[in-house]
Amino acid sequence: MLSSCVRRVPAAVRFIDSLICNSSRSFMDLKALLSSLNDFASLSFAESWDNVGLLVEPSPPHTVNTLFLTNDLTEEVMEEVLQKKADLILSYHPPIFRPMKRITWNTWKERLVIRALENRVAIYSPHTAYDAAPQGVNNWLAKGLGDCTSRPIHPSKAPNYPTEGNHRVEFSINHSQDLDKVMSAVKGIEDVSVTSFSARIDDEEQTRISLNCTQKALMQVVDFLSQNKQLYQKTEILSLEKPLLQHTGMGRLCTLDESVSLATMIDRIKRHLKLSYVRLALGVGRTLESQVKVVALCAGSGSSVLQGVEADLYFTGEMSHHDILDAASQGINVILCEHSNTERGFLSDLRDMLGSHLENKINIILSETDRDPLQVV
């Protein structure tokens, strides 16, 4: 046993013991690790516009002993990655967002890709998947408010349920019509699933046909059914909505167990984010002693998520000037903390959660150089 791992000993000895303890951890294959990360928080939670998942992959096979967590992957952070010999970077913000037409030494993001590949370091980004996840960034942000109940402002929908299609077409066929002909025709249309059952309608035995289909297939189904006026007049077309996922989605609407003054809430937020200053816009008619009961929050940039939400306080990283004016005009206070300051603190919790989720099979370390690019001077 390495009892030195827990005794108070000189720094040099602790460093050596740390290496020994770390070397005892097993490696994980990159593909297996990515699968485990998706089990932790599915990439299907991410917004459609986002660029999430594995962004840079060294030639396989690639094994991971050290996972490096950062909010932003800058060139300074990449130097730290290489010094600490990490094998996979989990960068909350995707360093590759817009398509790259070339990989040269001309721009900093291209250089990140080059250095990662040259040193066999993979890059993975979860971004809005972690925003939406029940145990993700926005839930962590809500912890700083005090005791409260919360729900997503924009709930996520189940990715693949109840059907691959997004429309349902239903109609009935009586026994005087050619059931076999109709069934054969609709089953021949691609991306259509068909079910049928007996039904008694207007004291007449009929067969009820239900089709699930995509938007493209819907047009073909309609074309076929419209050829039979009697059949088409009895057709119902439904738009299918996927069910909402509990505790999953963008932003959080938090209702405090007990109201507090705005001044108290400011202190709580500063303490949670470890900040000396925040930016405040007082709502019309509000003061620092005004009571706060309902807080709408969104990590990062909250304008689109918070817009139109009824609350006493909007809490986010950044908002546009005019969105702040709109909120204030409605008596809503606004607290801004800078974009990444509302995200970065989550990584400490993430390290612990991933350590448990991955059964401590690999080393997980936090960046020491990652920081928000803005500072108060």
Side-chain angles (χ1 to χ4, degrees):
M1 292 181 62
L2 297 174
S3 57
S4 57
C5 287
V6 295
R7 289 204 309 264
R8 184 178 295 277
V9 293
V13 177
R14 289 202 304 272
F15 176 73
I16 294 172
D17 281 344
S18 175
L19 292 178
I20 296 172
C21 291
N22 288 343
S23 66
S24 67
R25 297 181 188 271
S26 63
F27 292 83
M28 286 188 72
D29 176 74
L30 176 62
K31 296 298 184 186
L33 177 52
L34 293 177
S35 178
S36 292
L37 289 175
N38 196 61
D39 290 339
F40 173 75
S42 174
L43 293 177
S44 66
F45 296 160
E47 295 290 275
S48 58
W49 48 262
D50 207 355
N51 190 35
V52 296
L54 185 63
L55 305 184
V56 174
E57 179 184 12
S59 58
H62 185 65
T63 54
V64 178
N65 176 253
T66 299
L67 171 61
F68 184 98
L69 307 182
T70 185
N71 201 77
D72 292 293
L73 182 57
T74 62
E75 290 191 280
E76 183 180 8
V77 172
M78 178 60 85
E79 287 293 341
E80 184 186 2
V81 169
L82 300 182
Q83 288 173 9
K84 295 180 177 177
K85 302 187 183 305
D87 310 290
L88 171 63
I89 302 166
L90 188 154
S91 176
Y92 167 75
H93 285 138
I96 303 174
F97 192 77
R98 296 182 181 86
M100 290 182 170
K101 293 186 177 182
R102 58 185 61 83
I103 305 295
T104 70
W105 205 248
N106 287 337
T107 68
W108 69 276
K109 290 195 173 184
E110 292 174 59
R111 291 194 292 271
L112 289 176
V113 175
I114 292 171
R115 298 203 71 189
L117 290 173
E118 286 180 341
N119 291 276
R120 294 193 58 76
V121 179
I123 302 175
Y124 174 91
S125 177
H127 200 203
T128 52
Y130 278 12
D131 288 347
Q135 74 282 32
V137 183
N138 283 305
N139 264 33
W140 166 80
L141 204 57
K143 289 180 182 179
L145 303 179
D147 294 336
C148 65
T149 57
S150 68
R151 62 176 177 82
I153 294 173
H154 298 291
S156 299
K157 294 180 180 180
N160 297 311
Y161 183 86
T163 174
E164 291 295 326
N166 48 17
H167 294 282
R168 177 169 293 162
V169 181
E170 295 187 349
F171 56 91
S172 299
I173 300 176
N174 59 37
H175 294 294
S176 64
Q177 295 168 315
D178 191 343
L179 175 61
D180 291 339
K181 179 181 178 182
V182 172
M183 291 292 286
S184 176
V186 295
K187 285 182 177 180
I189 300 174
E190 190 176 356
D191 295 327
V192 170
S193 60
V194 185
T195 58
S196 63
F197 54 92
S198 298
R200 191 169 186 83
I201 302 174
D202 297 330
D203 292 328
E204 182 181 8
E205 287 293 331
Q206 298 189 4
T207 299
R208 188 71 174 169
I209 308 297
S210 179
L211 314 176
N212 286 341
C213 59
T214 62
Q215 178 70 36
K216 180 180 178 182
L218 175 65
M219 302 310 297
Q220 298 179 61
V221 171
V222 169
D223 284 343
F224 168 74
L225 294 177
S226 62
Q227 296 171 22
N228 185 321
K229 185 176 181 180
Q230 184 180 3
L231 197 64
Y232 189 56
Q233 287 178 340
K234 298 179 180 179
T235 298
E236 295 179 339
I237 301 176
L238 308 174
S239 178
L240 300 180
E241 289 288 338
K242 294 172 180 175
L244 302 180
L245 297 175
Q246 273 195 318
H247 314 301
T248 306
M250 295 300 155
R252 293 293 184 271
L253 188 64
C254 305
T255 302
L256 300 176
D257 291 355
E258 295 183 7
S259 299
V260 298
S261 70
L262 177 58
T264 297
M265 182 55 67
I266 292 171
D267 288 340
R268 289 181 181 180
I269 289 172
K270 285 180 178 178
R271 187 163 55 249
H272 186 56
L273 300 185
K274 297 180 174 61
L275 296 175
S276 300
Y277 303 96
V278 296
R279 291 190 287 165
L280 170 68
L282 282 172
V284 172
R286 302 294 186 257
T287 70
L288 289 176
E289 297 308 312
S290 295
Q291 294 297 292
V292 173
K293 178 72 172 179
V294 179
V295 180
L297 63 83
C298 178
S301 180
S303 285
S304 61
V305 174
L306 302 179
Q307 192 170 36
V309 178
E310 293 185 8
D312 301 311
L313 171 66
Y314 285 175
F315 167 32
T316 185
E318 59 181 337
M319 286 176 63
S320 74
H321 175 77
H322 295 287
D323 286 337
I324 295 170
L325 291 178
D326 285 342
S329 72
Q330 300 170 60
I332 301 172
N333 304 298
V334 179
I335 292 178
L336 305 181
C337 306
E338 307 309 343
H339 189 111
S340 68
N341 287 337
T342 57
E343 303 160 338
R344 184 169 289 102
F346 167 71
L347 295 181
S348 294
D349 281 15
L350 178 64
R351 176 184 54 193
D352 297 337
M353 288 188 289
L354 287 182
S356 176
H357 181 72
L358 300 174
E359 300 176 337
N360 296 312
K361 291 179 180 177
I362 59 174
N363 306 316
I364 303 177
I365 58 178
L366 284 179
S367 174
E368 297 177 7
T369 55
D370 175 43
R371 59 185 176 275
D372 195 273
L374 293 172
Q375 57 182 310
V376 178
V377 295

